[in-house]
Amino acid sequence: MFRCAFLVHLCNGASAKSTSVTDSLNDMMQAGSDGTFSGGKGVLVRDIIDTLQNGPAHAVPGTYWVGDIISITQMYPDRVDLDDSSVTNIYDYASIGMVIGSAMANLFYDFDNIQSYTWGWGVFYGHDSNSVDIRCEWLESDNMYDCPGGTIPWGGSFVADSSRLGTGGYDAGNPDANSAWGGGAGCHFDPKLYTIDQLNQYDANGNNLVGDPKCQCNYNFNQDWSKWVALFAQNNDYATDALHTDQGICWVNNPRDMILMQNALYKAKDTWTPSPGVFAGSRHRFYMGWNEVPVSRTVVDDPTNWDSFIIKLPARLCTNSGKSDSLSCLGDAELKRLETRISGYVQANYLKLGLANVAQRPGSYTVVVREIQSSGDYNPQFFCEDWTGTDYELVYIAKSSSNSYGACYLDTAGPGPGPGPGPGPG
């Protein structure tokens, strides 16, 4: 099936404004023509200000983007509801963060070979997973789990130990590939009942959703991850304080299996029921379509590894196709929140405004992301646009015969336009 991901620059729509940075990032996400994960090697995005940025966790969550992924809403939404409990439409707000593309080799061991079918150095979840904050690390040598705030011996009960961080206390990477790793690789934990609450579901052949005590996925399903999803859909053990799919999702050691699981979950989304609440809803964009990849906190939060600050627009913001989605379609409340969040990055020195800081990291370089829809599949696209808000403005400098790079950067605002029209039907 033809998808826009194969020809990003041809399918984006006439309104896309590009720079050397947006071109490079889009090229890194190109889907290939020789099977899943055969084109670009992808990029990683992360909202740096997520309460985990200052430690003590060794690993923090990011999200992997590549053109083979087809789900809608491919970045964690802005949790406006945590600041204002009256807000329930969190998917209508823009997400922000940093994108790493050119420095992916600093995040993933042997990144040059990450598309090899034998590569298995990482930890990848095809859905939101609480990978580094609410999961337990299996310690084979001690026959116990290291959980947030304590340990659980195999077959035993929780023993409090405030020094324990769970999976967040280990360096990122597959613990089967390197025993010093394991950050984010573990079983879901109930911090109120102090028990492992990872979901189990067995098929007629005795295959469980997970394949080992580390809650790594059962690779008996890796020829067709839709069968894993069908088995997961049979499980009705809904917890009060955890999201059902977060409990059920397991980890794989490579991006290809993650992509296939993520797509299988999305394609079969009408066959399984997410937990009710702020993350669920009937509108298209109200779907947890992002993956979760634990990576080194010190590496991913290092400004020298960042390609750009990003503003990720809600899917289907202006139109269903996403091709003309723009900051101009955000409503007043959404724009006000966006500027508040930008201010947080400025105050934390993750952003430094103005043309003089375009080449600096941290600096002012900023790109916008929209999700382009084709035949029901969604793919992120990096672009730039001119936009003026109340406190900040986004400035686009086009490429030219005398400037082959162009630029896109945030600055303090000049005189601004009127209010936006508000999010589309989504």
Side-chain angles (χ1 to χ4, degrees), residues 375-387:
S375 301
D377 297 350
Y378 292 82
N379 299 117
Q381 177 222 8
F382 294 95
F383 71 104
C384 186
E385 63 175 312
D386 289 299
W387 165 77

PDB file of all heavy atoms in Angstrom, residues 375-387:
ATOM      1  N   SER A 375      -5.078   7.290   4.019  1.00  0.00           N
ATOM      2  CA  SER A 375      -5.771   5.992   4.095  1.00  0.00           C
ATOM      3  C   SER A 375      -5.837   5.469   5.523  1.00  0.00           C
ATOM      4  O   SER A 375      -5.715   4.263   5.764  1.00  0.00           O
ATOM      5  CB  SER A 375      -5.082   4.968   3.185  1.00  0.00           C
ATOM      6  OG  SER A 375      -5.065   5.410   1.846  1.00  0.00           O
ATOM      7  N   GLY A 376      -5.995   6.372   6.481  1.00  0.00           N
ATOM      8  CA  GLY A 376      -6.134   5.973   7.875  1.00  0.00           C
ATOM      9  C   GLY A 376      -4.835   5.812   8.627  1.00  0.00           C
ATOM     10  O   GLY A 376      -4.848   5.549   9.832  1.00  0.00           O
ATOM     11  N   ASP A 377      -3.702   5.947   7.938  1.00  0.00           N
ATOM     12  CA  ASP A 377      -2.393   5.866   8.587  1.00  0.00           C
ATOM     13  C   ASP A 377      -1.875   7.279   8.847  1.00  0.00           C
ATOM     14  O   ASP A 377      -2.101   8.187   8.040  1.00  0.00           O
ATOM     15  CB  ASP A 377      -1.390   5.125   7.703  1.00  0.00           C
ATOM     16  CG  ASP A 377      -1.772   3.676   7.458  1.00  0.00           C
ATOM     17  OD1 ASP A 377      -2.709   3.188   8.124  1.00  0.00           O
ATOM     18  OD2 ASP A 377      -1.136   3.039   6.598  1.00  0.00           O
ATOM     19  N   TYR A 378      -1.151   7.443   9.950  1.00  0.00           N
ATOM     20  CA  TYR A 378      -0.649   8.762  10.339  1.00  0.00           C
ATOM     21  C   TYR A 378       0.871   8.745  10.438  1.00  0.00           C
ATOM     22  O   TYR A 378       1.458   7.798  10.968  1.00  0.00           O
ATOM     23  CB  TYR A 378      -1.253   9.179  11.687  1.00  0.00           C
ATOM     24  CG  TYR A 378      -2.739   9.440  11.613  1.00  0.00           C
ATOM     25  CD1 TYR A 378      -3.648   8.385  11.669  1.00  0.00           C
ATOM     26  CD2 TYR A 378      -3.235  10.726  11.456  1.00  0.00           C
ATOM     27  CE1 TYR A 378      -5.019   8.613  11.579  1.00  0.00           C
ATOM     28  CE2 TYR A 378      -4.598  10.966  11.365  1.00  0.00           C
ATOM     29  CZ  TYR A 378      -5.482   9.906  11.429  1.00  0.00           C
ATOM     30  OH  TYR A 378      -6.836  10.133  11.330  1.00  0.00           O
ATOM     31  N   ASN A 379       1.494   9.805   9.926  1.00  0.00           N
ATOM     32  CA  ASN A 379       2.949   9.945   9.983  1.00  0.00           C
ATOM     33  C   ASN A 379       3.328  11.366  10.375  1.00  0.00           C
ATOM     34  O   ASN A 379       2.839  12.322   9.770  1.00  0.00           O
ATOM     35  CB  ASN A 379       3.587   9.620   8.630  1.00  0.00           C
ATOM     36  CG  ASN A 379       3.327   8.200   8.175  1.00  0.00           C
ATOM     37  OD1 ASN A 379       2.700   7.979   7.156  1.00  0.00           O
ATOM     38  ND2 ASN A 379       3.796   7.222   8.932  1.00  0.00           N
ATOM     39  N   PRO A 380       4.194  11.545  11.373  1.00  0.00           N
ATOM     40  CA  PRO A 380       4.633  12.896  11.744  1.00  0.00           C
ATOM     41  C   PRO A 380       5.438  13.550  10.622  1.00  0.00           C
ATOM     42  O   PRO A 380       6.187  12.879   9.907  1.00  0.00           O
ATOM     43  CB  PRO A 380       5.517  12.657  12.977  1.00  0.00           C
ATOM     44  CG  PRO A 380       5.136  11.306  13.481  1.00  0.00           C
ATOM     45  CD  PRO A 380       4.761  10.520  12.264  1.00  0.00           C
ATOM     46  N   GLN A 381       5.280  14.853  10.499  1.00  0.00           N
ATOM     47  CA  GLN A 381       6.043  15.633   9.532  1.00  0.00           C
ATOM     48  C   GLN A 381       6.572  16.890  10.210  1.00  0.00           C
ATOM     49  O   GLN A 381       5.834  17.626  10.867  1.00  0.00           O
ATOM     50  CB  GLN A 381       5.176  16.049   8.346  1.00  0.00           C
ATOM     51  CG  GLN A 381       5.917  16.929   7.350  1.00  0.00           C
ATOM     52  CD  GLN A 381       5.079  18.089   6.837  1.00  0.00           C
ATOM     53  OE1 GLN A 381       3.982  18.338   7.317  1.00  0.00           O
ATOM     54  NE2 GLN A 381       5.594  18.803   5.865  1.00  0.00           N
ATOM     55  N   PHE A 382       7.871  17.123  10.075  1.00  0.00           N
ATOM     56  CA  PHE A 382       8.502  18.329  10.602  1.00  0.00           C
ATOM     57  C   PHE A 382       8.395  19.447   9.569  1.00  0.00           C
ATOM     58  O   PHE A 382       8.632  19.234   8.377  1.00  0.00           O
ATOM     59  CB  PHE A 382       9.980  18.067  10.901  1.00  0.00           C
ATOM     60  CG  PHE A 382      10.225  17.081  12.013  1.00  0.00           C
ATOM     61  CD1 PHE A 382      10.450  15.746  11.732  1.00  0.00           C
ATOM     62  CD2 PHE A 382      10.235  17.493  13.334  1.00  0.00           C
ATOM     63  CE1 PHE A 382      10.681  14.832  12.751  1.00  0.00           C
ATOM     64  CE2 PHE A 382      10.463  16.592  14.363  1.00  0.00           C
ATOM     65  CZ  PHE A 382      10.688  15.256  14.073  1.00  0.00           C
ATOM     66  N   PHE A 383       8.070  20.647  10.033  1.00  0.00           N
ATOM     67  CA  PHE A 383       8.006  21.796   9.136  1.00  0.00           C
ATOM     68  C   PHE A 383       8.178  23.068   9.962  1.00  0.00           C
ATOM     69  O   PHE A 383       8.332  23.022  11.187  1.00  0.00           O
ATOM     70  CB  PHE A 383       6.679  21.815   8.359  1.00  0.00           C
ATOM     71  CG  PHE A 383       5.465  22.151   9.194  1.00  0.00           C
ATOM     72  CD1 PHE A 383       4.884  23.414   9.127  1.00  0.00           C
ATOM     73  CD2 PHE A 383       4.893  21.209  10.041  1.00  0.00           C
ATOM     74  CE1 PHE A 383       3.759  23.728   9.886  1.00  0.00           C
ATOM     75  CE2 PHE A 383       3.770  21.511  10.804  1.00  0.00           C
ATOM     76  CZ  PHE A 383       3.205  22.774  10.726  1.00  0.00           C
ATOM     77  N   CYS A 384       8.152  24.198   9.299  1.00  0.00           N
ATOM     78  CA  CYS A 384       8.219  25.487   9.983  1.00  0.00           C
ATOM     79  C   CYS A 384       7.069  26.359   9.508  1.00  0.00           C
ATOM     80  O   CYS A 384       6.462  26.097   8.461  1.00  0.00           O
ATOM     81  CB  CYS A 384       9.558  26.177   9.715  1.00  0.00           C
ATOM     82  SG  CYS A 384       9.779  27.713  10.680  1.00  0.00           S
ATOM     83  N   GLU A 385       6.748  27.362  10.269  1.00  0.00           N
ATOM     84  CA  GLU A 385       5.768  28.363   9.864  1.00  0.00           C
ATOM     85  C   GLU A 385       6.029  29.641  10.651  1.00  0.00           C
ATOM     86  O   GLU A 385       6.671  29.620  11.705  1.00  0.00           O
ATOM     87  CB  GLU A 385       4.341  27.872  10.113  1.00  0.00           C
ATOM     88  CG  GLU A 385       4.001  27.603  11.574  1.00  0.00           C
ATOM     89  CD  GLU A 385       2.533  27.229  11.755  1.00  0.00           C
ATOM     90  OE1 GLU A 385       1.665  27.934  11.197  1.00  0.00           O
ATOM     91  OE2 GLU A 385       2.254  26.242  12.456  1.00  0.00           O
ATOM     92  N   ASP A 386       5.545  30.740  10.130  1.00  0.00           N
ATOM     93  CA  ASP A 386       5.583  31.998  10.870  1.00  0.00           C
ATOM     94  C   ASP A 386       4.375  32.055  11.789  1.00  0.00           C
ATOM     95  O   ASP A 386       3.244  31.774  11.375  1.00  0.00           O
ATOM     96  CB  ASP A 386       5.553  33.187   9.901  1.00  0.00           C
ATOM     97  CG  ASP A 386       6.854  33.340   9.131  1.00  0.00           C
ATOM     98  OD1 ASP A 386       7.890  33.548   9.776  1.00  0.00           O
ATOM     99  OD2 ASP A 386       6.816  33.235   7.888  1.00  0.00           O
ATOM    100  N   TRP A 387       4.606  32.405  13.034  1.00  0.00           N
ATOM    101  CA  TRP A 387       3.516  32.470  14.011  1.00  0.00           C
ATOM    102  C   TRP A 387       3.876  33.490  15.079  1.00  0.00           C
ATOM    103  O   TRP A 387       5.028  33.563  15.516  1.00  0.00           O
ATOM    104  CB  TRP A 387       3.296  31.095  14.652  1.00  0.00           C
ATOM    105  CG  TRP A 387       2.467  31.117  15.907  1.00  0.00           C
ATOM    106  CD1 TRP A 387       1.112  31.249  15.997  1.00  0.00           C
ATOM    107  CD2 TRP A 387       2.944  31.017  17.260  1.00  0.00           C
ATOM    108  NE1 TRP A 387       0.716  31.226  17.317  1.00  0.00           N
ATOM    109  CE2 TRP A 387       1.823  31.081  18.109  1.00  0.00           C
ATOM    110  CE3 TRP A 387       4.216  30.867  17.824  1.00  0.00           C
ATOM    111  CZ2 TRP A 387       1.930  31.012  19.508  1.00  0.00           C
ATOM    112  CZ3 TRP A 387       4.327  30.798  19.211  1.00  0.00           C
ATOM    113  CH2 TRP A 387       3.190  30.875  20.036  1.00  0.00           C
TER     114      TRP A 387
END
